Amino acid sequence: MEAFCKCVSGALAGILSLFAPAAPAILCAMSFVAADFISGVAADRAEARRSGSPWFFRSRDAWRTVRKAGFLAAAVAMMWMLECCVLDFVSLNLTKMFTGFACGVELWSFLENASRISDGPLFERLRQFVDRQIEKEVRS
């Protein structure tokens, strides 16, 4: 049994070492997901406080975030594998582009949460500015 455990742990370590170069991109994406989750919880709490209704933390939202983070980590790892093992003859930076897109989506959600938390117009204006910039880039 001990030999089997060593074999399995060695195989698992070998597979994980294959994805080690993608770890910075995965950690970057996970930090954006975490910031969005924390700001989303704070925004829900702020809205409940303003309306005078009781606020409860729902584990359903946390599990949805865990699933999203897992799928995002898998997608970044798969994009890295595609870029390094299949399309290694061309330099496309697919992993960075995909991670940047995912982080941009999470940043957008963070800005929406920040505008819900604060009554000040700063985050709403920032969100509108980002919206205009994205629209301008997509059209050009």
Side-chain angles (χ1 to χ4, degrees):
M1 185 66 174
E2 184 179 335
F4 176 73
C5 288
K6 285 182 180 180
C7 182
V8 169
S9 66
L12 185 61
I15 291 169
L16 289 177
S17 69
L18 179 64
F19 295 105
I26 292 170
L27 290 175
C28 179
M30 294 303 105
S31 67
F32 274 73
V33 169
D36 176 44
F37 174 73
I38 292 168
S39 67
V41 169
D44 285 343
R45 187 164 187 246
E47 285 183 350
R49 184 180 299 157
R50 275 189 220 115
S51 68
S53 61
W55 176 80
F56 301 102
F57 179 78
R58 292 182 299 263
S59 64
R60 177 181 63 224
D61 296 336
W63 281 112
R64 188 181 70 206
T65 301
V66 168
R67 281 192 303 272
K68 176 174 67 170
F71 283 128
L72 183 56
V76 170
M78 289 187 323
M79 191 63 69
W80 182 83
M81 289 288 291
L82 179 68
E83 183 179 2
C84 292
C85 298
V86 178
L87 301 174
D88 59 346
F89 56 91
V90 96
S91 178
L92 296 175
N93 292 323
L94 293 174
T95 306
K96 289 181 181 180
M97 287 190 324
F98 178 77
T99 305
F101 172 76
C103 289
V105 169
E106 295 300 317
L107 174 64
W108 180 262
S109 180
F110 174 82
L111 291 175
E112 287 176 344
N113 293 333
S115 68
R116 287 173 43 206
I117 293 169
S118 67
D119 289 332
L122 172 67
F123 287 108
E124 184 61 29
R125 288 186 184 148
L126 185 58
R127 187 189 62 78
Q128 290 171 355
F129 171 75
V130 170
D131 188 30
R132 284 192 305 270
Q133 292 299 101
I134 291 172
E135 195 172 315
K136 188 188 325 180
E137 289 297 320
V138 168
R139 288 185 183 176
S140 62

